[in-house]
Amino acid sequence: MRKISALLTTVILMVALVGVVFAGGQQEGGMEAAADDDTIVIGHTANNVGIDSYQTTHDRVWRETVAAMDGVETVQLDAGGDVALQLSQVEDLIQQNVDVIAIWPVNGDALVPGARRAQEAGIPVIIVNSLIAEEGYEFVEGFAGPNTYQQGVNGAIAMIEALDGEGQVVDLMGLPGYVTAINRSGGFHDHIEENAPGIEIIATEPTDWNRAKATEVMENLLVRFGDEIDGVYVADDNVGIGALNAMREAGVAGDIVMTSACMFGEGYDAMEEGLLYSSNYQSPAEDAINAVEMAVAVANGEEVEFWNYFETPIVTMDNMDEFERPNF
Amino acid sequence: MNVKASQENGSGSGGDVLTASGSRAGSAVRSFFERQGLIVAFVVVVAFFSIASDRFLSITNIMLVLRQVSILGTIAIGMTLVIVAGNFDLSVGSLASLTAVVVISLHDVIGPIPAMIVTLLVGLASGAVAGILVGKLRLNSLIITLGFLAGLQAITLIYTGGRYSRIVAPEETWFGFIGRGFVFGIPMPVIILAILILAFSIILTRTVFGRHVISVGGNPVASRFSGIRDGNIIMLTFIISGGLTAVAGIMLGSRLMAAQNYLGQGYEFEVIAGVILGGTSLQGGEGNIFKAFIGILIIGILRNGFLLLGLPYYFQWVAQWVIVVGVVWLDVASKRGKLLA
Amino acid sequence: MKRLISFFRRQPIWAILLGIIVITSLFRPDFLAVGNLLNILVQSAVNGMLAIGMTYLMINGYFALSVGTVMGFTAALTIGLQPLSIPVAVIIAIAAGAGIGAINGFFVAKAKVNAFVVTLGSFIGVRGLIYIYTGENALVGQNYDFFDFGASRVLGVPTLFLIMLAFAIIGEFGLRRTAHGRRTYAIGGNVEAAENAGIPVHRTVFLNFVLCGATAAIGGVLLAARLNAATPGLGWPDTNLMTIATVVLGGTSLTGGSGSVTRTLGGLLTLGVLYNVLNLFNVQSYYNLLLTGLVLILVVYVDSSLKTKRQQTFR
């Protein structure tokens, strides 16, 4: 008898558990049941919504944009940085027969088979924010996002200007293997090598987009190279603030030039204090809206450009007044 | 500062109250080697990096490494107590993330001191729940704390909605001093860590509570028969672990004046590796807080050292594997007198 | 009918699975769509492989924390060694996994180092090996045949799932019908009694670690087939969490000495269904994590309260 009551308790608890999770987790803008034929359903699987504020804002604006549109709905899935999970999510979206699949790749190489599968199933795919590998271009309708390679180039241009073409710099990368990180770093390296023989990149270290890690890495680099470091290039302002923490504690905050590939709110503040030389203005809101518009267009069967970059203008201390402080 | 946990009878090898070790000379030799395993590893690692890089032994670098390990070191104190009592706590990484996020997000809302108090309460509460499940209900600590690892991380994400938290005006608050300040040239977190190590070493070795923790870990049945309420003891170790993790979370938040959701991810592995390296036996009943700190220090030195040498960061993981398994093996081998069983 | 009820009583996980499927289908009939069910199957193939070896170890009374990165490493090897020919790459990958399992097994069985330490060490160390091998980059398969194989179906059922199922059947057979299986149970139940009965404890434990490494390796091969790529981050940090949750949910006892691959299969399918259901209802992903955590805690609680008092006095 005890076993049966224990079993019964288990089943009841599990059902209650799942029920609570449902109640808590239901999202807006999603499907309650199979959508009728007039509604466009976008299936969106994002890299890792909880990893930083940019991604979170992107996700929020995406939903708000869709909610404001008539006849459009979105299924928001979060891959949590897991490539296998993202593939599963693509499969699930195919199964749910959405009208278009929008993917922010966890990894541009690993996504190629998933994109191929979607194409075979007859569902168009667009890539959002971070590129898919070249082999995958033939399976997707296009890309909507920032030109991250160009951002790296911008960072290099600013660095050359700030250092007058001479000096030693370190590169604090994002997440190893991730296309955005690779492009931002690659653009920087390429441009420096081609245009500034007087500048040497003495170290390149990953930070996983994590501010604490960035602080630690910068600290260690400062010990290793001391005052040989003239400039630091960071993959985004979040990493930059981490590096700044380390530089502040070492007392070299104003002496080392910092250029960044992507602006965050705190980077804007740092730029006002003169601690950040340049960054690129990349609004997650614009990013999301740009992508949603492309997704809807594709779902409607319209012709679209393959490359749908949105502007990420360079911001420096001179022109920063033209820009609003980012709210993330 | 050489405070060691005195060992009751037995070497903690799974419940032998009566020691069966050989002659007195034999056991003296054995315990000499026990201590040496960790120290040898420490000396080797320090020597290696000092020779390989001239910046390694600079004051700046030493202070740097000490500050970098102070977060993990604080967590390791609580972890040592939990392991000595015979359990694991895999939730510390997620709890560190949660507490850092809580203190930062509440700082601007209710002020630094109330925020810190709430954060401590969160840590203690988490420890209490885990402690009740493991101590009172006697559930398997590995699985329970694994569940907490997932659950606490989820709570962090749900609480912040994925956004990261930050303090709007870092210059206008004294809160940053905890993580960034210096006292007589020594980083504040290092001072906090030193105080905590001293305090808890004394607690573990010289108080009744400490002796009970060791006894419960070494032989729970015998402890119960001698009237020790082992369920309460275990629960207390988890509460302490939760509280100390909250302190670490506060130090972390103060260091960065901001908090991302996955800040503490993976901490549990590094902390446990360090504690094990420090000679705390996973069977329970044996442990030394200061040595656990040395274990954490070695791991921190590996990370710092490889970067100084310009070697890829992932080499340190292989080094950790070799060192941790190697040192524990030598420890175990020296206790029984031979390499293989 | 009686046999069915008795089966459900012995392995309640299947009853829970059935319950969830029934309740979900009432609200969302599209859950029962063939395509959706097949998705669940293929998505659980990799984790299932890992769980088979882990089941053996847990019955034997041990945990392994290393399966996540072993899987990642073998996935990388499978893709990276493709130029040598796929069968060769697969064999090398499985050998590597078994090899790491052997290292672990040696330290646990022969050197008598605590299993937690040993597998934690290899968990971290193998992660380093992955990065050293891949150089921080993703490896992409050049051979689309391999990927097509990964996506293929036999009689409508995904091949990868069938492979995992085949190994599960072999695994269950091994537990019940071979001497090794019997010894595994015996040792897990009571080490001293097993020793006294003359059972070669060291050899059995060693073999189980090798098995765990080998199944994790096969899991890595399946993963590589599925993704046609391998990233350095595969298997870190949460894969172990899922594998342990799978085995524990199925009902294999935490103290060792009882359990079966069949139970683990039940846990596997239940978790797969649960996540699919959450997806279907558009629940925010953070709650998946919360659910995993709560499931673990709940299952341990129930597992413990179903035990006899006698077994509860020992840790």
Side-chain angles (χ1 to χ4, degrees):
Chain A
M1 212 54 223
R2 196 162 48 100
K3 276 200 172 175
I4 293 186
S5 66
L7 187 57
L8 211 58
T9 322
T10 320
V11 175
I12 294 177
L13 277 173
M14 287 221 73
V15 172
L17 199 69
V18 180
V20 162
V21 171
F22 274 10
Q26 285 270 287
Q27 307 181 100
E28 297 173 18
M31 317 197 294
E32 281 298 322
D36 54 44
D37 286 321
D38 296 338
T39 328
I40 292 181
V41 181
I42 307 175
H44 180 212
T45 149
N47 167 33
N48 196 344
V49 178
I51 192 91
D52 63 28
S53 284
Y54 185 95
Q55 282 234 225
T56 318
T57 312
H58 190 276
D59 174 81
R60 179 175 50 87
V61 173
W62 185 291
R63 287 196 231 168
E64 287 170 2
T65 312
V66 170
M69 288 178 161
D70 277 330
V72 182
E73 280 176 7
T74 179
V75 179
Q76 294 289 81
L77 298 175
D78 174 6
D82 183 337
V83 285
L85 185 58
Q86 186 160 66
L87 180 61
S88 302
Q89 289 175 343
V90 172
E91 289 170 339
D92 287 345
L93 289 173
I94 295 174
Q95 174 59 29
Q96 290 180 32
N97 208 17
V98 299
D99 297 300
V100 59
I101 298 182
I103 309 178
W104 180 334
V106 172
N107 182 292
D109 292 299
L111 183 59
V112 175
R116 184 162 166 252
R117 194 167 293 168
Q119 193 194 55
E120 285 170 2
I123 302 182
V125 175
I126 68 165
I127 302 294
V128 175
N129 181 281
S130 184
L131 271 173
I132 192 173
E134 264 187 66
E135 301 84 52
Y137 288 2
E138 49 171 319
F139 304 126
V140 304
E141 302 301 308
F143 172 73
N147 187 341
T148 46
Y149 187 84
Q150 182 62 40
Q151 290 176 336
V153 171
N154 287 353
I157 294 175
M159 184 66 80
I160 296 176
E161 186 186 276
L163 293 182
D164 253 341
E166 291 268 328
Q168 293 182 296
V169 301
V170 298
D171 173 7
L172 261 50
M173 272 188 65
L175 183 68
Y178 185 60
V179 175
T180 301
I182 295 176
N183 278 357
R184 286 180 181 167
S185 180
F188 183 80
H189 278 243
D190 291 345
H191 190 85
I192 295 272
E193 272 159 45
E194 286 165 29
N195 296 295
I199 294 187
E200 197 197 332
I201 301 176
I202 53 180
T204 307
E205 294 287 339
T207 62
D208 298 347
W209 308 117
N210 183 315
R211 188 182 295 199
K213 189 130 190 266
T215 307
E216 210 179 271
V217 168
M218 193 64 197
E219 279 174 342
N220 290 333
L221 285 175
L222 283 170
V223 172
R224 182 168 157 214
F225 292 112
D227 46 14
E228 290 169 29
I229 302 181
D230 303 304
V232 54
Y233 168 67
V234 292
D236 67 25
D237 282 3
N238 186 33
V239 173
I241 300 294
L244 213 50
N245 282 342
M247 293 195 276
R248 247 193 270 258
E249 276 159 5
V252 295
D255 308 330
I256 301 182
V257 174
M258 186 160 77
T259 68
S260 161
C262 176
M263 176 151 266
F264 279 48
E266 282 170 274
Y268 191 88
D269 299 333
M271 189 175 275
E272 273 181 335
E273 295 175 40
L275 297 170
L276 176 63
Y277 189 82
S278 85
S279 189
N280 293 299
Y281 198 82
Q282 184 177 331
S283 161
E286 274 183 57
D287 192 354
I289 295 175
N290 185 35
V292 170
E293 286 175 355
M294 186 181 182
V296 172
V298 166
N300 277 329
E302 295 166 24
E303 280 280 317
V304 293
E305 297 265 333
F306 190 86
W307 296 105
N308 269 301
Y309 293 128
F310 67 98
E311 288 279 315
T312 58
I314 192 169
V315 185
T316 64
M317 291 185 278
D318 301 322
N319 70 352
M320 63 184 296
D321 301 317
E322 299 168 28
F323 297 93
E324 246 182 62
R325 184 186 181 283
N327 63 348
F328 60 94
Chain B
M1 233 186 270
N2 235 350
V3 190
K4 288 196 174 35
S6 60
Q7 290 166 218
E8 300 289 280
N9 313 319
S11 50
S13 54
D16 252 332
V17 179
L18 305 165
T19 338
S21 52
S23 65
R24 253 192 309 157
S27 57
V29 169
R30 232 169 269 141
S31 66
F32 175 78
F33 272 113
E34 268 174 58
R35 251 168 278 161
Q36 296 310 71
L38 176 70
I39 300 197
V40 165
F42 183 71
V43 167
V44 165
V45 166
V46 169
F48 174 71
F49 285 113
S50 315
I51 297 175
S53 160
D54 53 359
R55 310 239 184 182
F56 181 70
L57 279 185
S58 63
I59 293 286
T60 323
N61 194 44
I62 293 176
M63 283 302 153
L64 187 73
V65 175
L66 282 178
R67 191 186 33 218
Q68 284 173 359
V69 301
S70 50
I71 310 270
L72 289 179
T74 306
I75 302 178
I77 297 174
M79 183 71 81
T80 307
L81 287 176
V82 169
I83 294 183
V84 168
N87 294 297
F88 296 108
D89 188 354
L90 290 179
S91 65
V92 293
S94 305
L95 186 58
S97 304
L98 179 60
T99 47
V101 163
V102 166
V103 75
I104 293 290
S105 61
L106 290 181
H107 175 277
D108 289 343
V109 176
I110 58 179
I113 302 253
M116 284 165 63
I117 294 178
V118 172
T119 307
L120 273 171
L121 288 176
V122 168
L124 294 170
S126 166
V129 176
I132 292 175
L133 290 172
V134 175
K136 299 289 215 177
L137 295 181
R138 305 197 190 287
L139 302 178
N140 181 293
S141 67
L142 185 69
I143 309 285
I144 290 290
T145 55
L146 206 54
F148 270 67
L149 183 155
L152 289 173
Q153 183 66 69
I155 291 176
T156 310
L157 288 165
I158 295 170
Y159 171 69
T160 63
R163 275 185 292 279
Y164 73 58
S165 326
R166 62 186 203 97
I167 294 177
V168 174
E171 324 76 50
E172 292 168 23
T173 168
W174 56 266
F175 181 64
F177 186 75
I178 299 174
R180 302 174 163 188
F182 287 83
V183 176
F184 301 125
I186 303 179
M188 190 61 188
V190 177
I191 295 180
I192 297 177
L193 177 67
I195 296 175
L196 289 172
I197 289 179
L198 186 57
F200 280 94
S201 287
I202 294 177
I203 290 177
L204 185 60
T205 59
R206 302 215 192 274
T207 65
V208 176
F209 169 68
R211 277 198 291 277
H212 283 181
V213 169
I214 296 173
S215 167
V216 166
N219 193 331
V221 180
S223 308
R224 220 169 296 137
F225 283 132
S226 11
I228 298 177
R229 310 268 295 277
D230 58 334
N232 288 346
I233 299 286
I234 291 179
M235 183 176 75
L236 280 171
T237 59
F238 273 96
I239 293 178
I240 293 176
S241 173
L244 286 172
T245 307
V247 171
I250 292 175
M251 292 199 299
L252 194 55
S254 163
R255 182 98 216 279
L256 304 170
M257 298 306 265
Q260 280 170 269
N261 293 303
Y262 288 104
L263 221 42
Q265 193 177 54
Y267 277 13
E268 55 278 348
F269 297 126
E270 290 200 41
V271 170
I272 292 182
V275 170
I276 291 173
L277 202 53
T280 301
S281 166
L282 284 177
Q283 324 287 71
E286 182 184 345
N288 179 321
I289 289 181
F290 182 69
K291 276 163 66 175
F293 166 67
I294 299 287
I296 300 277
L297 189 57
I298 292 180
I299 293 185
I301 290 176
L302 283 177
R303 190 177 26 244
N304 167 274
F306 278 119
L307 198 78
L308 281 187
L309 293 181
L311 286 177
Y313 57 95
Y314 36 86
F315 276 40
Q316 71 179 279
W317 294 328
V318 183
Q320 278 179 32
W321 183 12
V322 172
I323 291 181
V324 171
V325 177
V327 167
V328 177
W329 182 17
L330 285 177
D331 232 25
V332 168
S334 68
K335 268 193 202 120
R336 62 169 173 240
K338 44 192 173 124
L339 268 186
L340 301 177
Chain C
M1 198 57 202
K2 249 170 98 180
R3 284 184 68 178
L4 200 62
I5 294 186
S6 126
F7 173 73
F8 279 138
R9 282 183 63 174
R10 271 180 298 116
Q11 299 197 12
I13 185 63
W14 295 98
I16 296 175
L17 176 64
L18 203 57
I20 296 178
I21 293 180
V22 166
I23 295 177
T24 311
S25 329
L26 290 177
F27 287 97
R28 287 291 291 270
D30 53 342
F31 170 76
L32 284 181
V34 176
N36 190 39
L37 295 177
L38 292 180
N39 269 352
I40 297 176
L41 291 184
V42 76
Q43 286 160 17
S44 28
V46 174
N47 194 26
M49 271 317 306
L50 270 58
I52 295 174
M54 185 72 91
T55 308
Y56 268 75
L57 267 186
M58 282 183 64
I59 293 177
N60 208 10
Y62 295 98
F63 288 104
L65 285 181
S66 48
V67 290
T69 45
V70 170
M71 172 195 81
F73 186 50
T74 49
L77 283 177
T78 311
I79 299 279
L81 294 175
Q82 262 182 13
L84 291 181
S85 102
I86 291 179
V88 171
V90 169
I91 291 176
I92 294 181
I94 297 181
I100 295 171
I103 295 176
N104 287 342
F106 166 74
F107 278 108
V108 175
K110 274 269 141 201
K112 287 258 197 279
V113 181
N114 184 289
F116 190 92
V117 178
V118 172
T119 54
L120 176 63
S122 56
F123 180 52
I124 297 175
V126 174
R127 182 184 184 206
L129 289 181
I130 300 178
Y131 274 81
I132 293 176
Y133 181 69
T134 63
E136 290 181 337
N137 299 317
L139 296 178
V140 186
Q142 304 304 326
N143 192 328
Y144 265 120
D145 287 340
F146 190 52
F147 170 62
D148 287 333
F149 168 74
S152 64
R153 300 186 173 181
V154 174
L155 298 177
V157 183
T159 316
L160 294 182
F161 179 76
L162 289 175
I163 295 178
M164 189 273 295
L165 193 61
F167 277 105
I169 295 175
I170 297 175
E172 181 72 357
F173 180 80
L175 274 179
R176 287 185 203 265
R177 296 294 166 100
T178 65
H180 176 75
R182 281 194 292 275
R183 289 179 201 144
T184 304
Y185 277 106
I187 297 172
N190 190 328
V191 183
E192 275 146 16
E195 268 175 353
N196 292 336
I199 292 179
V201 173
H202 293 210
R203 212 185 312 153
T204 313
V205 171
F206 178 79
L207 196 54
N208 281 327
F209 271 95
V210 173
L211 274 175
C212 187
T215 52
I218 300 175
V221 172
L222 294 184
L223 186 59
R226 202 156 138 61
L227 299 175
N228 200 34
T231 60
L234 283 179
W236 175 279
D238 283 341
T239 309
N240 298 317
L241 178 67
M242 286 297 303
T243 311
I244 293 180
T246 306
V247 180
V248 165
L249 185 59
T252 295
S253 168
L254 293 166
T255 45
S258 75
S260 69
V261 175
T262 321
R263 288 177 199 264
T264 301
L265 263 182
L268 179 72
L269 291 175
T270 307
L271 272 182
V273 164
L274 270 176
Y275 292 129
N276 182 278
V277 167
L278 289 179
N279 245 10
L280 218 52
F281 281 91
N282 212 4
V283 172
Q284 196 175 32
S285 66
Y286 308 151
Y287 289 89
N288 285 16
L289 201 53
L290 186 62
L291 185 67
T292 313
L294 290 174
V295 161
L296 276 174
I297 296 175
L298 187 66
V299 169
V300 171
Y301 174 69
V302 172
D303 177 76
S304 147
S305 53
L306 283 179
K307 276 209 185 346
T308 64
K309 270 234 169 262
R310 180 170 48 91
Q311 279 179 293
Q312 274 179 314
T313 32
F314 298 100
R315 239 183 303 128

